[in-house]
């Protein structure tokens, strides 16, 4: 069993906070398996971290149905009442040359349920990748969002990309705070008043 060396938070913790930061509360432990890794959360729950698979379509749609309208808007930047099957198929059928999609799967239930998703989409011409991330409400504040983001950053570095970036609603404090701890900076978007582009230079 390995502790996670990949998470390197350079920002010091908030000294005024009495609550240990997620990176300490979570301190995920990972076991490498043939088809992914086992993530052990400090509260005893376990998730399987692996690449998304073509047969995750229904699981992804069930995950979507458990999201609040606010979470949907924050993830997709607009309201959606369902994840249509063609879109779910597209999200599960990735082209690994330009995409990575990781899922955190709860296998203590049958069928297994997706509790978190992180993905990047590479723009080869721009030498960068756009990210998105999502963690189901009952599983937030455990360090899983940070884990997914760190894995995506590592993946972009491994691909030799110059930058990873994403759009985040300005009212999405959790995501802005999370990205700040990972070293992302905010760019102004004059044409999209309620949205920030947040970016991490990798070179
Ligand atoms: C944003 C999101 C991914 C965070 O996931 P998470 O698993 O809770 O994140 P973590 O537990 O790793 O939190 C890491 C840090 O993020 C920040 N953060 C996370 N949730 C927060 C909240 N509700 N309020 C304030 N800060 C928060 C904190 O800095 C936190 O560190 P701390 O716990 O030590 O204070 C999750 O809330 C989510 O899926 N939201 C809906 C979709 C979305 O907004 N996606 C982003 C746009 S693509």
């Amino acid at each position: 069993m390995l502790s996670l060396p990949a998470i390197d938070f350079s920002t010091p913790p908030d000294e005024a906070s009495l609550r240990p930061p997620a990176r300490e509360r979570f301190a995920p432990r990972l076991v490498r398996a043939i088809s992914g890794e086992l993530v052990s959360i400090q509260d005893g729950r376990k998730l399987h971290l692996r690449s998304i698979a073509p047969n995750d379509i229904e699981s992804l749609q069930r995950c979507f149905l458990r999201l609040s309208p606010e979470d949907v808007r924050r993830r997709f930047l607009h309201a959606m009442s369902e994840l249509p099957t063609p879109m779910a198929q597209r999200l599960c059928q990735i082209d690994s040359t330009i995409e990575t999609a990781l899922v955190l799967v709860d296998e203590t239930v049958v069928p297994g349920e997706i509790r978190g998703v992180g993905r990047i989409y590479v723009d080869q011409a721009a030498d960068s990748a756009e990210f998105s991330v999502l963690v189901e409400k009952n599983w937030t504040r455990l360090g899983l969002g940070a884990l997914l983001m760190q894995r995506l950053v590592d993946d972009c570095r491994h691909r030799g990309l110059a930058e990873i970036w994403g759009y985040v609603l300005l009212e999405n404090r959790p995501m802005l705070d999370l990205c700040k701890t990972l070293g992302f900076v905010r760019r102004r978007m004059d044409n999209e008043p309620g949205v920030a582009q947040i970016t991490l230079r990798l070179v």
Side-chain angles (χ1 to χ4, degrees):
M1 204 173 260
L2 304 169
S3 38
L4 182 72
I7 297 184
D8 173 25
F9 294 88
S10 50
T11 309
D14 176 6
E15 287 171 14
S17 167
L18 296 173
R19 193 158 166 261
R23 57 186 178 274
E24 287 172 18
R25 296 200 311 277
F26 180 41
R29 291 160 68 82
L30 298 168
V31 180
R32 285 189 190 279
I34 292 167
S35 58
E37 291 165 87
L38 189 65
V39 178
S40 298
I41 304 169
Q42 279 190 341
D43 65 8
R45 291 186 290 179
K46 291 183 171 51
L47 293 171
H48 186 200
L49 175 65
R50 61 163 172 79
S51 295
I52 207 162
N55 61 1
D56 282 327
I57 295 164
E58 288 177 10
S59 174
L60 195 64
Q61 287 178 307
R62 289 195 302 275
C63 176
F64 184 95
L65 290 176
R66 290 191 295 271
L67 300 178
S68 67
E70 180 186 54
D71 283 345
V72 169
R73 206 167 45 81
R74 287 178 166 183
R75 161 60 182 86
F76 296 95
L77 305 182
H78 54 81
M80 285 166 65
S81 56
E82 58 164 351
L83 187 62
T85 300
M87 187 173 176
Q89 283 169 335
R90 163 72 195 88
L91 290 171
C92 293
Q93 190 82 51
I94 63 159
D95 173 356
S96 59
T97 60
I98 52 166
E99 287 172 274
T100 296
L102 302 173
V103 283
L104 285 162
V105 185
D106 179 2
E107 292 179 341
T108 63
V109 290
V110 181
E113 295 293 353
I114 293 175
R115 306 302 187 191
V117 188
R119 62 175 65 235
I120 56 155
Y121 188 83
V122 176
D123 179 343
Q124 285 162 327
D127 200 17
S128 68
E130 179 179 1
F131 74 82
S132 65
V133 67
L134 173 73
V135 175
E136 193 178 316
K137 196 65 99 194
N138 287 346
W139 296 77
T140 55
R141 299 315 291 264
L142 296 167
L144 296 172
L147 172 65
L148 286 169
M149 283 301 294
Q150 190 61 57
R151 286 306 169 97
L152 297 177
V153 168
D154 291 346
D155 185 76
C156 289
R157 285 212 164 92
H158 189 68
R159 289 172 182 268
L161 296 172
E163 193 172 273
I164 177 171
W165 64 273
Y167 292 122
V168 179
L169 295 179
L170 285 174
E171 45 88 350
N172 191 351
R173 206 64 254 164
M175 191 58 193
L176 293 175
D177 287 352
L178 166 52
C179 287
K180 199 169 161 196
T181 67
L182 294 173
F184 282 72
V185 295
R186 231 195 269 190
R187 275 192 195 151
R188 281 176 61 95
M189 288 189 64
D190 294 335
N191 50 343
E192 291 281 352
V195 181
Q197 186 185 28
I198 55 166
T199 301
L200 181 69
R201 290 293 299 171
L202 303 171
V203 289

